Amino acid sequence: MMIEQVRKENPLIHCMTNVVVTNFTANGLLALGASPVMAYAKEEVADLAQIAGALLLNIGTLSTEQIDHMIIAGQAANEANVPVVLDPVGAGATSFRTTMSKRILEEVKVSVLRGNAGEIASLLGVQATVKGVDGSMEGDKIELAKQAAKQFNCVCVVTGEVDVITDGSVVKTVANGHPWLTKVVGTGCLLGAVIGAFIAVERENLVEAATTAVTFFGIAGEQAFQQTNEQGIGSFQEAFLNQLHTLTDDQMKQLRRNEA
Amino acid sequence: MMIEQVRKENPLIHCMTNVVVTNFTANGLLALGASPVMAYAKEEVADLAQIAGALLLNIGTLSTEQIDHMIIAGQAANEANVPVVLDPVGAGATSFRTTMSKRILEEVKVSVLRGNAGEIASLLGVQATVKGVDGSMEGDKIELAKQAAKQFNCVCVVTGEVDVITDGSVVKTVANGHPWLTKVVGTGCLLGAVIGAFIAVERENLVEAATTAVTFFGIAGEQAFQQTNEQGIGSFQEAFLNQLHTLTDDQMKQLRRNEA
Amino acid sequence: MMIEQVRKENPLIHCMTNVVVTNFTANGLLALGASPVMAYAKEEVADLAQIAGALLLNIGTLSTEQIDHMIIAGQAANEANVPVVLDPVGAGATSFRTTMSKRILEEVKVSVLRGNAGEIASLLGVQATVKGVDGSMEGDKIELAKQAAKQFNCVCVVTGEVDVITDGSVVKTVANGHPWLTKVVGTGCLLGAVIGAFIAVERENLVEAATTAVTFFGIAGEQAFQQTNEQGIGSFQEAFLNQLHTLTDDQMKQLRRNEA
């Protein structure tokens, strides 16, 4: 599973994502070597989802109508055996988001569910004791991810200082990443799209594909920070897109830090 | 009133803003040290507005439906004593914008109204004799700002070459800023959000908080231009985000130019 | 026909464009020296279209409702003799996009139609034998552009490795440009807006104005790549905006490569 494979196959990723991050997501996918298509209208989302390599559903700036269209797209993707990534942005923050995320999970077969610990916990109805998303909570995070993977019958990616990827039995963790990634809006949302690009070219092993995506993303953040140091997030954001564009498999092998 | 306070308290700013600037606004707030949340759906805006440190209403790409949702959010903010910033983008340019801005001002208690002289004049029904928004018009601008502050019972910020901040009696002016700020789309809109971040951490003195926000913003523009000189607005925009991220209170004290 | 003319006249370009590229389009127009206004509401689009120097209709993230509003704006522009640019993004990719593009062409008098060969072919109902949009297909592309120009009674700009601009009789080609322009999302969409800015200041000769716009755009891409080399598309995008901001007519004369 290699970044070169994504760059070679150039998978089409149909993104139904929020208005805040749509440009950054498209540029991130292009930098990576994938082909983004953003489309939201009920008249065409099924057509596009069925020819895509993966479909991303991100509820960041949801409305009831958009969720309806996401479900149309998701079910079309399911019929065509196109993998679906769900990013339940802000689930738990409002009951509307929790409810709508659950509705998608009930009506669409999701391949990969990506969120932070609080979002995933809210979907499980678990008390948000997982608030401090740091190293000491790692054990809890793995259990949380496994529980979500089993309940929703998908691969679950719980991101944080250490990222957890699991299908309910196999568990991978990724220690790569940089705190400044949380200072650029839409990095989490873009990660969902990047996972889509990797699973589009490796459908047989979703855990492996998602782990590589998360590792690649984290290393790009580390390298971007090293290059721009403390100049500020304007420079960091530009360097991060450059890294998505130029990072190689050899660099990844050297820099990856996977534990567990 | 210091930038360090914003960075320390990390206030949540609920932005209902236009699709052109939503990414830039979120990144600007993150750079500054605040936490943006963008949400528009009628089912959740009240929930978010009530837990925010401030609510921004920006009508840049308005629709009647979005204005309805802004009013729901604004009234919820009012109930919870959360300050509201209104940016009546393009008021006066179309009668639709003037009417919708007035509707918000009637139905929501606005804490800070921010616009250029033409926008504020249109809300007052004043003839737009204030067209040349330059130094020589300063007297008019102060009167205009005071009149709006009194009529709408809020702090009014009229931006231009010199910015005026007033609650109708106390008047502050800020001479900081750089013409290139008008060459990057959304700087005015971002300023509304930045004012939100400053008033969120200093609710007792809105004039002081808004003045600090405007000063900080102007200095960041000056520094960004100095760093990138004439390279172009691509570089300027990046440097400006870097400045929002790194500018200190000490630098502000040295560089601020407040008159009147 | 010169870039200085655009910078001097500072034309107002009313953009009804997609959510992915709206910020980039606005910043690109500002960099160039034009004034963008983005507005979508049925209550105001006619007012703005009639005072604009040009109107851009871009269907990148269309909905049926937005197309209705585009037609209101387009007809108002027609009444006021304001030129209209249509960018039928993704026509041919879904039947919805093809149908909606044709509907606009039937109900609005379009001055300039800009697309790639596949999009233009789909509007003509031509079989997409023009799939490889490279040099060897140039003959076909010119015929395609001429056919579209005649059928829709407009100037047609078919972009690709070599760009073709024609009103059905006069044919211009532009060899400037850089492959990395396809790696930044929204460059094609921005080009539509830039064509709008050039035709706004040169309404008498649309072929010449559009050719200058396309040439200018291509040279900016070449220069941006030279400046940033292989750093990645983050740096390329910033340098490209800088070039739109700073490129002069003298540089254009030296660097333009127009064939045919």
Side-chain angles (χ1 to χ4, degrees):
Chain A
M1 182 60 219
M2 296 185 298
I3 173 67
E4 261 78 41
Q5 207 175 327
V6 175
R7 289 181 181 142
K8 192 176 144 202
E9 295 191 22
N10 188 31
L12 183 73
I13 310 304
H14 180 189
C15 301
M16 298 181 73
T17 190
N18 67 75
V19 293
V20 188
V21 306
T22 178
N23 182 273
F24 185 60
T25 301
N27 272 331
L29 285 174
L30 280 169
L32 177 68
S35 283
V37 61
M38 273 66 180
Y40 304 90
K42 64 178 182 296
E43 292 90 343
E44 66 171 6
V45 287
D47 291 352
L48 287 167
Q50 296 200 324
I51 59 167
L55 170 67
L56 171 69
L57 305 179
N58 173 307
I59 69 162
T61 51
L62 78 175
S63 69
T64 301
E65 189 188 35
Q66 284 163 358
I67 298 292
D68 291 343
H69 300 185
M70 284 185 189
I71 287 169
I72 294 170
Q75 291 177 343
N78 286 167
E79 275 173 33
N81 213 25
V82 171
V84 177
V85 178
L86 173 63
D87 189 336
V89 181
T94 66
S95 60
F96 181 52
R97 287 173 187 246
T98 313
T99 305
M100 289 295 116
S101 301
K102 286 182 181 170
R103 202 184 135 209
I104 294 173
L105 282 163
E106 275 159 25
E107 301 192 30
V108 175
K109 165 81 189 85
V110 168
S111 300
V112 180
L113 172 66
R114 187 215 79 85
N116 60 37
E119 289 160 351
I120 302 301
S122 80
L123 298 181
L124 292 170
V126 172
Q127 271 300 5
T129 49
V130 206
K131 216 176 172 189
V133 190
D134 57 10
S136 61
M137 293 305 231
E138 227 172 292
D140 288 352
K141 274 175 63 185
I142 288 175
E143 279 319 301
L144 184 75
K146 285 172 80 169
Q147 194 182 332
K150 284 175 193 160
Q151 180 158 335
F152 303 120
N153 189 26
C154 65
V155 169
C156 182
V157 177
V158 178
T159 49
E161 196 173 327
V162 170
D163 309 302
V164 178
I165 302 98
T166 182
D167 59 4
S169 55
V170 180
V171 175
K172 303 277 182 179
T173 62
V174 176
N176 292 104
H178 193 276
W180 277 33
L181 283 169
T182 65
K183 292 178 183 291
V184 174
V185 76
T187 49
C189 300
L190 173 54
L191 177 56
V194 169
I195 290 171
F198 278 78
I199 65 174
V201 301
E202 174 58 282
R203 295 192 188 188
E204 298 312 308
N205 192 339
L206 297 184
V207 170
E208 180 62 24
T211 303
T212 308
V214 170
T215 307
F216 169 76
F217 204 81
I219 293 173
E222 293 170 4
Q223 296 297 103
F225 185 78
Q226 277 195 17
Q227 284 187 346
T228 58
N229 209 342
E230 307 273 340
Q231 287 175 46
I233 70 152
S235 300
F236 175 77
Q237 181 179 6
E238 176 183 322
F240 180 66
L241 282 175
N242 286 348
Q243 285 299 321
L244 293 181
H245 191 175
T246 58
L247 203 63
T248 63
D249 285 315
D250 279 350
Q251 286 176 288
M252 268 189 69
K253 274 174 209 157
Q254 287 186 312
L255 299 167
R256 71 188 305 161
R257 286 178 289 130
N258 299 104
E259 280 128 54
Chain B
M1 182 60 221
M2 296 185 298
I3 172 67
E4 261 77 43
Q5 207 175 326
V6 175
R7 290 182 181 141
K8 192 177 145 200
E9 295 192 21
N10 188 30
L12 183 73
I13 310 304
H14 179 189
C15 302
M16 299 182 71
T17 190
N18 68 75
V19 293
V20 187
V21 306
T22 178
N23 181 274
F24 185 60
T25 301
N27 271 330
L29 285 174
L30 280 170
L32 177 68
S35 283
V37 61
M38 271 67 179
Y40 304 91
K42 64 178 182 299
E43 292 90 343
E44 67 171 4
V45 288
D47 291 351
L48 286 166
Q50 295 200 327
I51 59 167
L55 170 67
L56 170 69
L57 305 179
N58 172 307
I59 69 162
T61 50
L62 77 176
S63 69
T64 301
E65 189 188 35
Q66 284 163 357
I67 298 293
D68 290 344
H69 299 185
M70 285 186 188
I71 288 169
I72 293 170
Q75 291 177 343
N78 286 167
E79 275 173 34
N81 214 24
V82 171
V84 177
V85 178
L86 172 64
D87 189 336
V89 181
T94 66
S95 59
F96 181 53
R97 288 173 186 246
T98 314
T99 305
M100 290 296 115
S101 301
K102 286 181 179 170
R103 203 185 133 207
I104 294 172
L105 283 163
E106 276 159 25
E107 301 191 31
V108 175
K109 166 79 188 87
V110 168
S111 301
V112 179
L113 172 67
R114 187 215 78 87
N116 60 37
E119 290 160 352
I120 301 301
S122 78
L123 298 180
L124 292 169
V126 172
Q127 271 300 5
T129 49
V130 206
K131 216 177 173 188
V133 190
D134 57 9
S136 61
M137 293 306 231
E138 227 172 293
D140 287 352
K141 274 175 62 184
I142 288 175
E143 278 320 300
L144 183 74
K146 286 172 82 169
Q147 194 182 331
K150 284 174 194 162
Q151 180 157 336
F152 303 120
N153 190 25
C154 65
V155 168
C156 182
V157 177
V158 178
T159 49
E161 196 172 329
V162 170
D163 309 302
V164 178
I165 301 97
T166 182
D167 60 3
S169 55
V170 179
V171 176
K172 303 277 183 179
T173 62
V174 177
N176 291 104
H178 192 278
W180 277 33
L181 283 170
T182 64
K183 293 178 183 289
V184 174
V185 75
T187 50
C189 300
L190 173 54
L191 176 56
V194 169
I195 291 171
F198 277 78
I199 65 175
V201 301
E202 174 57 283
R203 294 190 188 191
E204 298 311 308
N205 192 338
L206 296 183
V207 170
E208 180 62 23
T211 303
T212 308
V214 170
T215 307
F216 169 75
F217 204 81
I219 293 173
E222 293 169 6
Q223 296 297 103
F225 185 78
Q226 277 193 20
Q227 284 188 346
T228 57
N229 209 343
E230 307 271 341
Q231 286 175 45
I233 70 152
S235 299
F236 175 77
Q237 181 179 5
E238 176 184 322
F240 180 66
L241 283 175
N242 286 347
Q243 285 298 321
L244 292 181
H245 192 175
T246 58
L247 203 63
T248 63
D249 285 316
D250 279 351
Q251 287 175 288
M252 267 189 70
K253 274 175 208 156
Q254 288 187 311
L255 298 165
R256 69 189 304 160
R257 287 177 289 130
N258 300 104
E259 280 128 53
Chain C
M1 183 58 220
M2 296 184 300
I3 173 67
E4 261 78 40
Q5 207 175 326
V6 175
R7 290 182 181 140
K8 192 176 143 201
E9 295 191 21
N10 188 30
L12 183 72
I13 310 304
H14 179 189
C15 302
M16 298 181 72
T17 191
N18 68 76
V19 293
V20 188
V21 306
T22 179
N23 181 273
F24 185 61
T25 300
N27 271 330
L29 285 174
L30 279 169
L32 177 69
S35 283
V37 61
M38 272 64 180
Y40 304 91
K42 65 179 182 298
E43 293 90 343
E44 67 171 4
V45 287
D47 291 352
L48 287 167
Q50 295 200 325
I51 60 167
L55 170 68
L56 170 69
L57 305 179
N58 173 306
I59 69 161
T61 50
L62 77 175
S63 68
T64 300
E65 190 189 34
Q66 285 164 357
I67 298 292
D68 291 343
H69 300 185
M70 286 186 187
I71 288 169
I72 293 170
Q75 290 176 343
N78 286 167
E79 274 173 35
N81 213 24
V82 171
V84 177
V85 178
L86 172 64
D87 190 336
V89 181
T94 66
S95 59
F96 182 53
R97 288 173 185 246
T98 314
T99 305
M100 289 295 117
S101 301
K102 285 181 179 170
R103 203 184 134 208
I104 294 172
L105 283 163
E106 275 159 25
E107 301 192 32
V108 176
K109 166 80 189 85
V110 168
S111 300
V112 180
L113 172 67
R114 186 215 80 86
N116 61 36
E119 289 160 351
I120 302 301
S122 79
L123 297 181
L124 292 169
V126 172
Q127 270 301 3
T129 48
V130 206
K131 215 178 174 189
V133 190
D134 58 8
S136 61
M137 293 307 231
E138 227 173 296
D140 288 351
K141 275 175 61 184
I142 289 175
E143 278 319 301
L144 183 73
K146 285 172 81 169
Q147 194 182 333
K150 284 174 191 161
Q151 181 158 336
F152 302 119
N153 190 26
C154 66
V155 168
C156 182
V157 177
V158 179
T159 49
E161 195 172 329
V162 170
D163 309 301
V164 177
I165 301 98
T166 182
D167 60 3
S169 55
V170 179
V171 176
K172 303 276 182 181
T173 62
V174 176
N176 292 104
H178 193 278
W180 277 34
L181 283 170
T182 64
K183 293 178 183 290
V184 175
V185 75
T187 50
C189 300
L190 173 54
L191 177 55
V194 169
I195 291 172
F198 278 78
I199 65 175
V201 301
E202 174 57 285
R203 295 192 187 189
E204 298 311 308
N205 192 337
L206 296 184
V207 170
E208 180 62 22
T211 302
T212 308
V214 170
T215 306
F216 169 75
F217 204 82
I219 293 172
E222 294 170 4
Q223 296 297 103
F225 184 77
Q226 276 194 19
Q227 284 187 347
T228 57
N229 209 343
E230 307 272 341
Q231 286 174 46
I233 70 152
S235 300
F236 175 77
Q237 181 179 5
E238 176 183 323
F240 180 66
L241 283 176
N242 286 348
Q243 285 298 321
L244 293 181
H245 192 176
T246 58
L247 202 64
T248 63
D249 285 316
D250 280 351
Q251 286 176 289
M252 268 189 69
K253 274 175 208 156
Q254 287 186 312
L255 298 166
R256 71 189 303 161
R257 287 179 288 130
N258 299 104
E259 279 128 53

